[in-house]
Amino acid sequence: MADATTAAAELLLAARRDPAKKLVDLPAALKPADRAAAYAIQRQVAASFSAIGGWKVSPFGADTPPMCGALPASGVLPGPAKLSSKTHAMRGIEAEISVRIGRDLPPRATPYSRDEVIAAIAAMHPAIEVLESRFVESSGLDVATSLADSQGHGGFVYGAAVTAWQGIDLAREQVEQFVDGAVTASRTGHPAGDLVGQVVWMANEGSVWAGGLKAGQFVTCGSWTGAQRVGPAAVIRVVFSSVGEVALTFTA
C-alpha cells in the first residue's frame, strides 16, 4: 500500500511540475480504493508544499462527512490577481466564501466546540477558487482519484476581510459572478447550509494530520455558483451582497 501511495503521489507531483505530464488516469494498480487511500496520496503530495496556506472543504453529504484538500501557500493570492493561462490551462472558476483562521487550533483529545471555532475565526473573505487538474480531463474521474488530487485545486484568490462576519445571514447572502463583464452565474444562500459546521469539522477531523488549523490559513467552503471554465484572457469578478468582491484576470 505504501509503495502504491508513493507511486501515485509521484505521478501527481510530476504533473504539477510539468503540464506536459498530465495523466489520463492513474494506473489501475495505483488508484485509491477509498477515501483513506486517497487522503494518504494527497498528504504525500502536500508534503512537497513549502507550507499549507489553507484548505478547501466540501459540504456534508446526506450520510457522509465532508471531503477536504490542502492548498499550497504559494497559490494563495490576494485579489485582484493575475494568473497565466500557460500554467492554468483548465481555468475552472468557482465563487466561494472563505474564512481566515485567527489563532491556532492544534489537535487535541477533546473536540473543539462550535463556539471555540467561531472565536478562532478572524474574518470572512470573498474568494475565487481556481480549478486545475493534474489530469487531462477531470470530469470523468472517480471520487477517490479526484480527492487524491485535492479535488482539482489549482489556486485561490481572496478579497478584503470582513471582520463583522457574524452579523451576515448566509441564507440570504447573494452572489453574482461576472466573466468579461457579463453575469454568468448567481445565487442566494450558502449551498452547504452550515459554513461554520464545515470549519468545525476541519478543526476536529480534516486538518488533524497537518497539525490542525493554523493562524493565517484560509478555509474555503464550497462553490456558490458551480464550476465554470473560462477563456485564456478572461476577466472574472465575483460580488457578494455583504461579504464583498474579488477579481481575477487570466493572461494569455
Side-chain angles (χ1 to χ4, degrees):
M1 174 63 75
D3 289 344
T5 298
T6 299
E10 288 176 348
L11 287 174
L12 292 173
L13 283 167
R16 281 179 178 269
R17 298 185 188 107
D18 182 358
K21 295 183 178 179
K22 283 193 173 187
L23 306 163
V24 173
D25 202 344
L26 287 174
L30 303 184
K31 288 180 73 66
D34 51 28
R35 287 191 181 194
Y39 279 126
I41 297 169
Q42 186 191 126
R43 290 168 192 170
Q44 285 209 21
V45 172
S48 72
F49 300 165
S50 60
I52 293 175
W55 301 85
K56 63 180 293 182
V57 57
S58 69
F60 286 86
D63 300 304
T64 57
M67 295 185 291
C68 65
L71 316 186
S74 60
V76 175
L77 305 170
K82 291 185 178 181
L83 291 174
S84 171
S85 290
K86 294 179 181 178
T87 56
H88 292 77
M90 179 176 289
R91 294 182 302 280
I93 58 166
E94 294 183 337
E96 305 198 359
I97 286 180
S98 63
V99 300
R100 193 163 196 168
I101 304 302
R103 62 170 180 262
D104 290 356
L105 294 172
R108 70 182 194 187
T110 303
Y112 288 100
S113 69
R114 188 180 183 92
D115 286 346
E116 287 177 305
V117 172
I118 288 173
I121 295 174
M124 189 172 278
H125 297 254
I128 299 169
E129 185 187 6
V130 179
L131 303 178
E132 188 62 46
S133 179
R134 266 49 65 180
F135 295 88
V136 175
E137 177 51 62
S138 61
S139 60
L141 295 175
D142 60 273
V143 171
T145 299
S146 178
L147 181 58
D149 188 36
S150 293
Q151 302 175 79
H153 175 75
F156 177 78
V157 180
Y158 63 93
V162 177
T163 56
W165 64 271
Q166 292 189 56
I168 296 173
D169 183 356
L170 292 182
R172 296 184 179 182
E173 185 74 0
Q174 297 177 334
V175 63
E176 287 188 315
Q177 178 177 283
F178 297 83
V179 177
D180 298 330
V183 176
T184 60
S186 61
R187 181 186 176 91
T188 298
H190 180 49
D194 184 12
L195 182 148
V196 171
Q198 293 173 270
V199 185
V200 173
W201 181 85
M202 283 302 309
N204 290 323
E205 298 186 51
S207 67
V208 169
W209 66 270
L213 296 179
K214 298 180 180 179
Q217 289 181 340
F218 289 89
V219 179
T220 192
C221 299
S223 176
W224 284 58
T225 53
Q228 178 183 350
R229 296 191 187 185
V230 299
V235 177
I236 300 99
R237 182 168 163 253
V238 167
V239 182
F240 285 93
S241 53
S242 301
V243 180
E245 65 180 83
V246 58
L248 164 66
T249 299
F250 286 102
T251 59

